[in-house]
Amino acid sequence: LDDPAGNSFIESIGTSDTRLSKTLYERTREQLQEMGYNVPQANDTHTAATAAPPPPKHGADLPDHLRAANWDFSKSIEDNIDKRREEEESGNIGRDEALFFEVDCHHCGTKGRQDMCAIDIPGFRECLVMAFNCPHCGVRNNEVKAAGAIGDKARRWTLRVTDPEDLNRDVLKSDSAAVRIPEIDFEMQQGTQGSAFTTVEGLIGKIADHLQESNPFTGDSSAQNELSAFTQTIDDLRKLCSDPSCLPFTLVLDDAADHSFIGRRHPERPQEDDPGLTSEVREQSMGC
Ligand SMILES: [Zn+2]
Protein backbone atom coordinates (compact mmCIF):
# COMPACT_ATOMS: atom_id res chain seq x y z
CA LEU A 1 0.00 0.00 0.00
CA ASP A 2 1.61 3.26 -1.13
CA ASP A 3 -0.52 6.19 0.01
CA PRO A 4 0.82 9.73 -0.43
CA ALA A 5 -2.07 11.02 1.70
CA GLY A 6 -1.08 8.76 4.60
CA ASN A 7 -4.69 7.67 5.10
CA SER A 8 -4.19 3.91 4.67
CA PHE A 9 -3.60 1.34 7.34
CA ILE A 10 -2.78 -2.34 7.78
CA GLU A 11 -3.35 -3.81 11.20
CA SER A 12 -0.35 -5.41 12.85
CA ILE A 13 -0.69 -8.67 14.78
CA GLY A 14 0.80 -8.51 18.24
CA THR A 15 3.38 -5.96 19.38
CA SER A 16 6.31 -7.06 17.19
CA ASP A 17 4.94 -8.02 13.80
CA THR A 18 8.10 -8.59 11.75
CA ARG A 19 6.20 -9.25 8.55
CA LEU A 20 4.69 -5.73 8.46
CA SER A 21 6.75 -2.61 7.97
CA LYS A 22 5.85 1.03 7.51
CA THR A 23 8.01 3.77 5.96
CA LEU A 24 7.23 7.49 6.05
CA TYR A 25 8.51 9.58 3.16
CA GLU A 26 8.37 13.19 1.92
CA ARG A 27 5.70 13.72 -0.74
CA THR A 28 6.96 14.75 -4.14
CA ARG A 29 5.65 17.85 -5.85
CA GLU A 30 3.73 15.64 -8.31
CA GLN A 31 2.05 13.76 -5.48
CA LEU A 32 1.07 17.03 -3.80
CA GLN A 33 -0.47 18.24 -7.06
CA GLU A 34 -2.35 14.98 -7.52
CA MET A 35 -3.76 15.44 -4.03
CA GLY A 36 -5.12 18.84 -5.09
CA TYR A 37 -2.62 21.13 -3.39
CA ASN A 38 -1.52 24.25 -5.20
CA VAL A 39 2.26 23.82 -5.30
CA PRO A 40 4.16 26.97 -6.33
CA GLN A 41 6.49 26.55 -9.30
CA ALA A 42 9.60 27.50 -7.36
CA ASN A 43 13.09 27.19 -8.84
CA ASP A 44 13.72 24.34 -6.49
CA THR A 45 16.86 22.42 -7.42
CA HIS A 46 16.12 19.64 -4.97
CA THR A 47 13.31 18.20 -7.06
CA ALA A 48 13.54 16.92 -10.59
CA ALA A 49 11.00 19.40 -11.97
CA THR A 50 12.20 19.13 -15.54
CA ALA A 51 8.79 18.95 -17.19
CA ALA A 52 7.20 22.25 -18.21
CA PRO A 53 4.15 23.23 -16.15
CA PRO A 54 0.83 22.59 -17.89
CA PRO A 55 -0.70 25.66 -19.56
CA PRO A 56 -3.21 27.53 -17.38
CA LYS A 57 -6.74 26.31 -17.80
CA HIS A 58 -9.67 28.68 -17.93
CA GLY A 59 -12.41 26.27 -18.83
CA ALA A 60 -13.14 22.65 -18.17
CA ASP A 61 -12.78 19.67 -20.44
CA LEU A 62 -16.50 19.52 -20.97
CA PRO A 63 -18.09 17.49 -23.73
CA ASP A 64 -19.58 19.67 -26.47
CA HIS A 65 -23.12 18.39 -25.98
CA LEU A 66 -23.17 20.02 -22.54
CA ARG A 67 -22.60 23.48 -23.95
CA ALA A 68 -25.73 25.61 -24.18
CA ALA A 69 -24.87 27.69 -27.23
CA ASN A 70 -28.00 29.83 -27.43
CA TRP A 71 -28.22 30.90 -23.80
CA ASP A 72 -29.97 34.26 -23.39
CA PHE A 73 -28.22 36.25 -20.67
CA SER A 74 -31.01 38.81 -20.52
CA LYS A 75 -33.36 36.08 -19.27
CA SER A 76 -33.43 34.18 -16.02
CA ILE A 77 -31.92 30.73 -15.59
CA GLU A 78 -35.44 29.28 -15.24
CA ASP A 79 -36.55 30.81 -18.55
CA ASN A 80 -33.46 29.50 -20.32
CA ILE A 81 -33.90 26.00 -18.89
CA ASP A 82 -37.60 26.01 -19.87
CA LYS A 83 -36.64 27.00 -23.41
CA ARG A 84 -34.10 24.17 -23.59
CA ARG A 85 -36.72 21.67 -22.43
CA GLU A 86 -39.18 22.90 -25.04
CA GLU A 87 -36.52 22.59 -27.75
CA GLU A 88 -35.70 19.13 -26.53
CA GLU A 89 -39.37 18.08 -26.58
CA SER A 90 -39.85 19.51 -30.07
CA GLY A 91 -36.76 17.66 -31.27
CA ASN A 92 -34.48 20.66 -31.87
CA ILE A 93 -32.06 19.39 -29.27
CA GLY A 94 -31.29 15.71 -29.59
CA ARG A 95 -31.98 13.59 -26.54
CA ASP A 96 -28.28 12.84 -26.30
CA GLU A 97 -27.49 16.56 -26.11
CA ALA A 98 -29.63 17.13 -23.05
CA LEU A 99 -28.29 15.98 -19.74
CA PHE A 100 -30.64 15.51 -16.84
CA PHE A 101 -31.14 13.22 -13.88
CA GLU A 102 -34.04 12.13 -11.76
CA VAL A 103 -33.49 13.49 -8.27
CA ASP A 104 -35.70 13.19 -5.19
CA CYS A 105 -37.44 16.48 -4.43
CA HIS A 106 -36.25 17.78 -1.05
CA HIS A 107 -39.68 19.31 -0.51
CA CYS A 108 -42.22 16.59 -1.36
CA GLY A 109 -40.00 13.53 -1.81
CA THR A 110 -41.25 12.53 -5.27
CA LYS A 111 -39.03 12.38 -8.34
CA GLY A 112 -38.01 15.72 -9.79
CA ARG A 113 -35.73 16.59 -12.64
CA GLN A 114 -32.23 18.06 -12.46
CA ASP A 115 -30.97 19.56 -15.71
CA MET A 116 -27.33 20.29 -16.27
CA CYS A 117 -25.63 22.32 -18.96
CA ALA A 118 -22.62 24.55 -19.45
CA ILE A 119 -22.74 28.21 -20.40
CA ASP A 120 -19.93 30.53 -21.39
CA ILE A 121 -20.38 33.73 -19.38
CA PRO A 122 -19.04 36.66 -21.47
CA GLY A 123 -15.96 38.18 -19.87
CA PHE A 124 -15.59 35.33 -17.43
CA ARG A 125 -15.35 31.61 -18.09
CA GLU A 126 -17.39 28.52 -18.64
CA CYS A 127 -19.86 27.71 -15.88
CA LEU A 128 -22.03 24.73 -15.06
CA VAL A 129 -25.74 25.34 -14.54
CA MET A 130 -27.70 22.85 -12.47
CA ALA A 131 -31.43 23.50 -12.41
CA PHE A 132 -33.90 21.44 -10.41
CA ASN A 133 -37.63 21.36 -11.07
CA CYS A 134 -40.28 19.25 -9.32
CA PRO A 135 -43.35 18.63 -11.52
CA HIS A 136 -45.40 17.54 -8.48
CA CYS A 137 -45.04 20.41 -6.02
CA GLY A 138 -43.48 23.03 -8.30
CA VAL A 139 -40.27 23.59 -6.32
CA ARG A 140 -37.48 25.04 -8.43
CA ASN A 141 -33.94 25.96 -7.62
CA ASN A 142 -30.72 26.36 -9.48
CA GLU A 143 -27.04 26.67 -8.96
CA VAL A 144 -24.25 28.03 -11.12
CA LYS A 145 -20.65 27.07 -10.54
CA ALA A 146 -17.51 28.12 -12.37
CA ALA A 147 -16.18 25.14 -14.30
CA GLY A 148 -12.57 24.14 -14.45
CA ALA A 149 -9.70 23.95 -12.05
CA ILE A 150 -9.49 26.13 -8.97
CA GLY A 151 -7.60 29.26 -9.95
CA ASP A 152 -3.93 29.49 -9.01
CA LYS A 153 -4.57 32.88 -7.48
CA ALA A 154 -7.23 34.52 -5.40
CA ARG A 155 -9.15 37.35 -7.04
CA ARG A 156 -10.74 40.41 -5.52
CA TRP A 157 -13.49 42.21 -7.43
CA THR A 158 -14.31 45.76 -6.39
CA LEU A 159 -17.37 47.50 -7.79
CA ARG A 160 -18.18 51.12 -7.09
CA VAL A 161 -21.97 51.28 -7.32
CA THR A 162 -22.67 54.87 -8.37
CA ASP A 163 -25.79 54.48 -10.46
CA PRO A 164 -28.97 52.35 -10.20
CA GLU A 165 -27.77 50.77 -13.49
CA ASP A 166 -24.89 49.21 -11.55
CA LEU A 167 -27.42 47.23 -9.52
CA ASN A 168 -28.27 45.31 -12.70
CA ARG A 169 -24.76 44.04 -13.36
CA ASP A 170 -24.34 40.28 -13.52
CA VAL A 171 -22.71 38.71 -10.49
CA LEU A 172 -21.51 35.18 -9.95
CA LYS A 173 -20.69 34.66 -6.29
CA SER A 174 -19.13 31.28 -5.60
CA ASP A 175 -19.22 29.62 -2.19
CA SER A 176 -15.51 30.41 -1.81
CA ALA A 177 -16.12 34.17 -1.98
CA ALA A 178 -16.27 36.59 0.93
CA VAL A 179 -18.54 39.63 0.47
CA ARG A 180 -17.83 43.08 1.92
CA ILE A 181 -19.70 46.37 1.78
CA PRO A 182 -17.50 48.76 3.77
CA GLU A 183 -19.97 51.69 3.77
CA ILE A 184 -22.38 49.77 6.01
CA ASP A 185 -19.64 47.85 7.80
CA PHE A 186 -20.87 44.57 6.35
CA GLU A 187 -18.75 41.47 5.91
CA MET A 188 -19.74 37.89 5.08
CA GLN A 189 -17.09 35.19 5.29
CA GLN A 190 -16.57 32.64 2.55
CA GLY A 191 -18.69 29.52 2.84
CA THR A 192 -21.52 31.32 4.63
CA GLN A 193 -23.84 31.16 1.66
CA GLY A 194 -23.91 28.97 -1.44
CA SER A 195 -23.13 30.10 -4.93
CA ALA A 196 -25.46 32.43 -6.81
CA PHE A 197 -25.61 33.74 -10.36
CA THR A 198 -27.67 36.89 -10.15
CA THR A 199 -27.37 40.68 -10.27
CA VAL A 200 -25.83 43.06 -7.72
CA GLU A 201 -29.32 43.81 -6.45
CA GLY A 202 -30.23 40.11 -6.43
CA LEU A 203 -27.10 39.20 -4.47
CA ILE A 204 -27.69 41.85 -1.80
CA GLY A 205 -31.34 40.78 -1.53
CA LYS A 206 -30.35 37.12 -1.14
CA ILE A 207 -27.87 38.01 1.60
CA ALA A 208 -30.53 40.02 3.45
CA ASP A 209 -33.06 37.15 3.09
CA HIS A 210 -30.47 34.65 4.29
CA LEU A 211 -29.68 36.77 7.37
CA GLN A 212 -33.36 37.21 8.15
CA GLU A 213 -34.04 33.45 7.93
CA SER A 214 -31.00 32.50 9.98
CA ASN A 215 -31.56 35.13 12.69
CA PRO A 216 -29.73 33.62 15.69
CA PHE A 217 -31.08 36.14 18.20
CA THR A 218 -34.81 35.41 18.23
CA GLY A 219 -36.50 34.79 21.55
CA ASP A 220 -33.59 35.77 23.77
CA SER A 221 -34.23 39.01 25.65
CA SER A 222 -30.62 39.23 26.88
CA ALA A 223 -29.42 39.66 23.30
CA GLN A 224 -31.39 42.84 22.56
CA ASN A 225 -28.31 44.83 21.54
CA GLU A 226 -27.09 42.12 19.19
CA LEU A 227 -30.58 41.75 17.77
CA SER A 228 -30.95 45.45 17.02
CA ALA A 229 -27.50 45.58 15.37
CA PHE A 230 -28.46 42.52 13.35
CA THR A 231 -31.80 43.90 12.14
CA GLN A 232 -30.06 47.21 11.41
CA THR A 233 -27.66 45.36 9.09
CA ILE A 234 -30.58 43.74 7.25
CA ASP A 235 -32.28 47.14 6.90
CA ASP A 236 -29.02 48.71 5.66
CA LEU A 237 -28.62 45.97 3.04
CA ARG A 238 -32.17 46.39 1.76
CA LYS A 239 -31.86 50.18 1.65
CA LEU A 240 -28.77 49.97 -0.59
CA CYS A 241 -30.97 48.75 -3.43
CA SER A 242 -34.13 50.73 -2.74
CA ASP A 243 -32.90 54.14 -1.58
CA PRO A 244 -30.87 56.15 -4.15
CA SER A 245 -29.45 58.31 -1.34
CA CYS A 246 -27.40 55.24 -0.28
CA LEU A 247 -25.38 55.52 -3.49
CA PRO A 248 -22.50 55.35 -4.00
CA PHE A 249 -21.37 52.25 -2.15
CA THR A 250 -18.69 49.63 -2.72
CA LEU A 251 -19.22 45.91 -3.26
CA VAL A 252 -16.16 43.72 -2.76
CA LEU A 253 -16.07 40.03 -3.73
CA ASP A 254 -12.93 38.33 -2.50
CA ASP A 255 -12.65 34.80 -3.86
CA ALA A 256 -9.81 32.53 -2.75
CA ALA A 257 -10.51 30.18 -5.69
CA ASP A 258 -11.05 32.86 -8.38
CA HIS A 259 -14.49 31.44 -9.18
CA SER A 260 -16.49 34.65 -8.80
CA PHE A 261 -17.25 37.38 -11.26
CA ILE A 262 -18.85 40.82 -11.59
CA GLY A 263 -19.99 41.71 -15.09
CA ARG A 264 -19.14 44.83 -17.06
CA ARG A 265 -21.94 47.13 -18.05
CA HIS A 266 -20.91 46.82 -21.68
CA PRO A 267 -18.88 43.63 -22.14
CA GLU A 268 -18.05 44.56 -25.74
CA ARG A 269 -16.20 47.72 -24.69
CA PRO A 270 -12.66 47.74 -23.28
CA GLN A 271 -12.12 47.42 -19.55
CA GLU A 272 -10.87 51.05 -19.34
CA ASP A 273 -14.38 52.24 -20.20
CA ASP A 274 -15.63 50.77 -16.95
CA PRO A 275 -13.63 52.54 -14.22
CA GLY A 276 -16.13 51.58 -11.50
CA LEU A 277 -15.13 47.91 -11.74
CA THR A 278 -11.69 46.61 -10.88
CA SER A 279 -10.32 43.16 -10.23
CA GLU A 280 -6.95 42.21 -8.87
CA VAL A 281 -5.27 38.86 -8.38
CA ARG A 282 -3.12 37.94 -5.45
CA GLU A 283 -1.28 34.86 -4.26
CA GLN A 284 -3.44 32.44 -2.33
CA SER A 285 -2.73 32.11 1.31
CA MET A 286 -2.07 28.52 2.34
CA GLY A 287 -5.08 26.51 3.29
CA CYS A 288 -7.60 28.24 1.04
ZN1 LIG B 1 -41.64 18.29 -5.02
Side-chain angles (χ1 to χ4, degrees), residues 105-112 132 134-139:
C105 174
H106 64 87
H107 188 247
C108 71
T110 58
K111 292 279 181 223
F132 177 79
C134 175
H136 304 283
C137 70
V139 157

Side-chain angles (χ1 to χ4, degrees), residues 75-240:
K75 299 236 167 69
S76 70
I77 291 173
E78 278 87 0
D79 289 350
N80 273 289
I81 291 288
D82 285 347
K83 196 170 121 235
R84 269 178 77 78
R85 284 184 190 157
E86 279 165 26
E87 285 175 0
E88 182 201 316
E89 276 153 22
S90 65
N92 287 340
I93 297 181
R95 295 290 291 186
D96 56 334
E97 288 178 57
L99 182 64
F100 58 90
F101 318 93
E102 276 201 333
V103 178
D104 287 342
C105 174
H106 64 87
H107 188 247
C108 71
T110 58
K111 292 279 181 223
R113 171 174 159 150
Q114 174 101 44
D115 282 79
M116 195 171 136
C117 65
I119 57 173
D120 202 358
I121 297 185
F124 185 47
R125 63 162 89 186
E126 198 153 65
C127 291
L128 280 180
V129 178
M130 281 158 284
F132 177 79
N133 166 226
C134 175
H136 304 283
C137 70
V139 157
R140 306 192 71 149
N141 57 55
N142 61 65
E143 195 170 11
V144 180
K145 280 189 185 291
I150 287 176
D152 296 335
K153 302 230 162 64
R155 183 181 293 271
R156 179 184 298 131
W157 292 89
T158 306
L159 173 66
R160 191 85 180 132
V161 180
T162 56
D163 189 287
E165 274 262 292
D166 288 319
L167 297 171
N168 284 325
R169 290 179 189 250
D170 287 332
V171 174
L172 176 64
K173 186 203 88 71
S174 87
D175 41 18
S176 51
V179 181
R180 279 196 300 280
I181 303 173
E183 284 81 359
I184 59 166
D185 218 7
F186 175 79
E187 175 153 11
M188 190 175 79
Q189 294 300 319
Q190 65 174 86
T192 312
Q193 201 180 20
S195 62
F197 180 45
T198 175
T199 59
V200 171
E201 182 173 10
L203 175 67
I204 293 172
K206 270 175 198 273
I207 292 172
D209 291 346
H210 176 79
L211 287 178
Q212 199 139 30
E213 285 161 18
S214 66
N215 181 357
F217 301 112
T218 45
D220 183 351
S221 57
S222 68
Q224 275 308 317
N225 287 343
E226 286 89 342
L227 176 61
S228 62
F230 186 79
T231 47
Q232 183 65 50
T233 301
I234 296 173
D235 289 348
D236 287 347
L237 284 166
R238 296 206 192 283
K239 265 174 77 182
L240 289 177

